Amino acid sequence: CVLCRRAEADPDICGHKREKYGLCAHVFCLCFAMSLSRQENPRIGLMGFRPRDIQLAVSRAAQKHCCVCGETGATIMCCEEDCDRWFHLPCAREGGCVTQYITAYRCPGNC
């Protein structure tokens, strides 16, 4: 997955992998990544996420360290007010991070 950088990850946490345009990403990694917005048409790009936007998110994440594993490439920021911690989605459980899918904010369809 270009976002969490894990070849194998728990599909219950990260979702299944999708591949298109030479990009491979877990469904939930796409949905949770900061600064990624989904287009209304799911046929655009990878599940509605434009390839250039995914690459930009990967570039930005290269500067962010995961608060759990310490590696760079963290794409998800804690949503708690005044918290500036970042993490990889597969690290969430180990780090005690809570991931929550709220209906109003879920990706339509596969998320």
Side-chain angles (χ1 to χ4, degrees):
C1 173
V2 295
L3 296 167
C4 72
R5 304 204 260 163
R6 307 296 193 279
E8 298 300 321
D10 185 348
D12 289 337
I13 293 175
C14 296
H16 295 286
K17 284 189 270 185
R18 299 287 189 254
E19 203 167 340
K20 196 173 182 182
Y21 304 112
L23 295 170
C24 180
H26 295 107
V27 172
F28 300 149
C29 288
L30 286 166
C31 294
F32 277 120
M34 297 301 295
S35 71
L36 261 185
S37 59
R38 190 169 198 248
Q39 304 302 305
E40 288 185 34
N41 184 348
R43 292 184 178 159
I44 292 174
L46 186 61
M47 290 181 38
F49 296 94
R50 291 186 175 128
R52 65 184 165 141
D53 293 341
I54 295 170
Q55 292 290 17
L56 185 58
V58 170
S59 295
R60 287 182 182 148
Q63 301 168 20
K64 305 294 180 187
H65 287 83
C66 178
C67 64
V68 179
C69 72
E71 293 181 25
T72 59
T75 59
I76 303 167
M77 185 176 154
C78 181
C79 68
E80 285 291 319
E81 196 171 320
D82 296 328
C83 183
D84 61 353
R85 290 182 287 180
W86 290 77
F87 59 95
H88 300 106
L89 190 53
C91 295
R93 182 181 291 168
E94 181 185 334
C97 306
V98 176
T99 55
Q100 196 170 22
Y101 302 97
I102 302 170
T103 304
Y105 299 103
R106 331 194 308 219
C107 297
N110 293 327
C111 291

